[in-house]
């Protein structure tokens, strides 16, 4: 019993030291945000500010349109997630549930996009966006991010595990492909869709 308690105490001590190391950068950020700019360059640096200047936060909003930046980030990321979920889930549904000629070959060619590093496509994407006159717009950020081969692959794998009998029952009740996708397969794929959205 004493040995188990000592091991637990040692584990907790190690975890506390690791937690302190992980918390230190956040403490430094908060401390730096509350001091005057010239105090940030003092040597040796003080961990805690000598005087707390909460007006620094108001100054940030006066000098920089931070709310606009936050709104733009939320707008772009929100539209990318919504578009990605719709496009990836529809493509995954087609690859998983609709038998068409050359389906597996097309899927393998599509999956080869996973092997292309993002750095290779930056210049072609810029040229394409400039030809579409979309440079310096949010659309230039949103459109290339809508199609994600990894997301399509993961959603397809999930959809392939769903029993065909669910969809067949919907077809017997008069549902078409769109209703089968939207009302049957998509709700059953929520876990993988949530994972790819994150």
């Amino acid at each position: 019993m004493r040995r188990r308690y000592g091991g637990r105490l040692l584990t907790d001590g190690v975890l506390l030291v690791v937690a302190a190391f992980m918390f230190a950068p956040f403490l430094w950020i908060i401390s730096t945000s509350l001091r005057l700019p010239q105090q940030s360059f003092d040597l040796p640096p003080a961990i805690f500010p000598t005087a707390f200047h909460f007006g620094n936060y108001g100054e940030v909003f006066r000098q920089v349109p931070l709310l606009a930046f936050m709104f733009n980030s939320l707008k772009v990321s929100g539209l990318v997630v919504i578009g990605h979920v719709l496009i990836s889930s529809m493509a995954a549904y087609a690859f998983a549930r609709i038998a068409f000629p050359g389906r597996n070959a097309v899927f393998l060619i599509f999956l080869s996009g996973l092997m292309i590093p993002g750095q290779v496509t930056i210049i072609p994407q810029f040229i394409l966006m400039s030809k579409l006159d979309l440079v310096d717009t949010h659309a230039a950020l949103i459109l290339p991010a809508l199609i994600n081969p990894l997301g399509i692959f993961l959603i397809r794998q999930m959809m392939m595990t769903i029993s065909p009998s669910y969809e067949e029952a919907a077809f017997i009740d008069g549902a078409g492909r769109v209703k089968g996708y939207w009302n049957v397969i998509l709700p059953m794929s929520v876990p993988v869709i949530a994972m790819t959205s994150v």
Side-chain angles (χ1 to χ4, degrees), residues 93 164-177 179-180 184:
Y93 178 78
S165 58
Y166 293 107
E167 205 174 7
E168 288 166 4
F171 292 155
I172 289 170
D173 287 341
R177 283 281 182 204
K179 272 198 172 179
V184 179

Side-chain angles (χ1 to χ4, degrees), residues 6-131:
R8 176 88 186 255
L9 197 63
L10 180 67
T11 303
D12 288 349
V14 169
L15 289 175
L16 279 172
V17 170
V18 171
F21 273 110
M22 296 178 99
F23 183 68
F26 296 105
L27 178 65
W28 181 256
I29 290 168
I30 293 167
S31 171
T32 304
S33 71
L34 291 172
R35 68 179 90 192
L36 292 172
Q38 58 268 24
Q39 290 175 335
S40 299
F41 300 103
D42 288 348
L43 288 174
I47 294 174
F48 298 104
T50 53
F52 294 92
H53 299 277
F54 291 98
N56 291 345
Y57 291 105
E59 194 62 31
V60 166
F61 285 97
R62 274 194 295 275
Q63 291 189 11
V64 178
L66 203 58
L67 289 176
F69 293 167
M70 292 167 68
F71 173 75
N72 289 339
S73 296
L74 286 172
K75 178 175 121 180
V76 169
S77 59
L79 289 173
V80 165
V81 168
I82 292 167
H84 162 71
V85 165
L86 287 173
I87 292 171
S88 295
S89 62
M90 285 190 284
Y93 178 78
F95 283 127
R97 313 299 279 191
I98 301 172
F100 56 88
R103 177 179 70 172
N104 293 334
V106 171
F107 185 66
L108 285 174
I109 292 167
F110 189 75
L111 268 188
S112 65
L114 287 172
M115 293 185 284
I116 302 169
Q119 295 85 344
V120 173
T121 61
I122 288 175
I123 293 173
Q125 279 182 9
F126 176 77
I127 293 170
L128 179 64
M129 292 301 144
S130 64
K131 291 204 186 273

